[in-house]
Amino acid sequence: MEKVTNESTIFSSILTPQGKYLFDFFITKIKDIYLLECEKKSTLEIIKVLNYYKLRSKVDFIDLSEKYVAAVISLEKFKEIENSDISIGKRINYRDDPIYVDPRNINLGAKIISKLENIHLTIKKLNLTMGDKKKYYNKSFQLGIPQMQLDKLRDKIFGIENNLDELKGIDFKKGCYVGQENTSRIKLRNKLRRRILPVQKVAGEISENQIIKYKGNEIGKIMISKPYSFALIKVVDPDLNEFNNKELACGNSKIKILKPDWI
């Protein structure tokens, strides 16, 4: 939490004691409170988990999902606002609203976190226009970052298999955290064998839990089918480069694995 300041926002996660993925979210600071931005339908479940771990700490977790809204802007607009430098997680303020560069991947732009009643005035003052949010989610898909239907991954894969190591959602230099033992073992002993990767449908329809095969051998499974498809894919044995961008069998359908640049 010490990394969350008026100049810095972080991406973080909650894992099970076994290191399985539960939730991910951003943490930014607004005056004397820490604001967690997450997938809206996970809000109450995250609060429940955090309350379980708070023990006797003097902290309250409040659902503010109806009071705040997130808006995505370009890196160019971020730099223009205060002539600020652009770096991962960089945070500035505008009319008391935090604006930060996405700490997962700089190519996702920046975000404004604003009270719902203020967002339209902020958009007007910054000379912004409303765009099609599909462009943002398409970009996220191309980068291999799932942001919708994340409950389909919950407690089914390791957090590190969900690329949280690459997205800076796991800190390998901090102290103890829930799920640390398995997570550190996989990372430090180079035991990572599978990752969540975007899937492009070539022919037919795909659904969750369908098996993906290459040369007759199972190399993955569909985890999220819609609206953006992601699968848990072997990256070694065989090597991902061997079947990347090739047509693969998935049930009665054909798909391609899309390898992000960061792998």
Side-chain angles (χ1 to χ4, degrees), residues 144-155:
I145 303 174
Q147 299 202 61
M148 304 172 75
Q149 303 295 324
L150 297 178
D151 56 307
K152 305 293 184 181
L153 307 178
R154 193 175 305 156
D155 205 15

Side-chain angles (χ1 to χ4, degrees), residues 43 91 101 115 130 143:
T43 303
R91 150 82 185 271
V101 178
K115 286 186 176 180
M130 299 293 287
L143 292 170

Side-chain angles (χ1 to χ4, degrees), residues 43-218:
T43 303
L44 295 181
E45 293 172 283
I46 291 176
I47 290 175
K48 183 179 179 180
V49 172
L50 292 176
N51 273 318
Y52 176 80
Y53 284 113
K54 85 171 187 177
L55 302 177
R56 296 182 181 179
S57 300
K58 294 181 180 179
V59 59
D60 294 314
F61 301 103
I62 303 169
D63 180 5
L64 297 176
S65 56
E66 301 301 326
K67 294 185 178 181
Y68 284 87
V69 65
V72 179
I73 63 173
S74 68
L75 293 176
E76 290 74 20
K77 176 57 71 170
F78 177 88
K79 187 173 183 179
E80 176 187 313
I81 293 172
E82 288 191 12
N83 195 26
S84 175
D85 63 306
I86 296 175
S87 58
I88 288 287
K90 172 71 176 181
R91 150 82 185 271
I92 60 176
N93 287 323
Y94 180 77
R95 299 181 66 244
D96 295 326
D97 292 337
I99 308 179
Y100 60 85
V101 178
D102 197 305
R104 297 169 298 180
N105 189 304
I106 200 167
N107 293 310
L108 281 174
K111 285 189 175 185
I112 301 173
I113 306 298
S114 175
K115 286 186 176 180
L116 190 58
E117 65 267 22
N118 296 336
I119 188 63
H120 292 291
L121 181 57
T122 297
I123 289 172
K124 181 178 180 180
K125 284 184 172 292
L126 289 176
N127 195 30
L128 296 168
T129 57
M130 299 293 287
D132 186 351
K133 63 182 180 181
K134 286 185 178 180
K135 291 183 179 179
Y136 171 73
Y137 287 114
N138 287 341
K139 184 65 174 179
S140 184
F141 175 71
Q142 293 165 8
L143 292 170
I145 303 174
Q147 299 202 61
M148 304 172 75
Q149 303 295 324
L150 297 178
D151 56 307
K152 305 293 184 181
L153 307 178
R154 193 175 305 156
D155 205 15
K156 294 180 180 178
I157 64 173
F158 288 105
I160 197 169
E161 290 178 330
N162 197 22
N163 305 318
L164 294 182
D165 57 329
E166 296 290 340
L167 301 177
K168 304 168 188 66
I170 299 175
D171 189 340
F172 291 95
K173 296 181 180 180
K174 70 183 293 295
C176 295
Y177 57 88
V178 179
Q180 180 186 37
E181 186 174 352
N182 279 342
T183 303
S184 295
R185 182 184 297 114
I186 294 170
K187 179 71 171 180
L188 300 177
R189 295 185 181 180
N190 198 26
K191 296 292 186 180
L192 183 60
R193 296 291 181 265
R194 306 181 300 176
R195 285 189 182 275
I196 286 291
L197 295 173
V199 171
Q200 179 185 34
K201 182 177 66 176
V202 176
E205 295 298 325
I206 58 177
S207 57
E208 289 158 26
N209 298 315
Q210 279 187 321
I211 301 301
I212 301 169
K213 292 187 176 183
Y214 171 63
K215 293 183 177 180
N217 297 316
E218 180 180 334

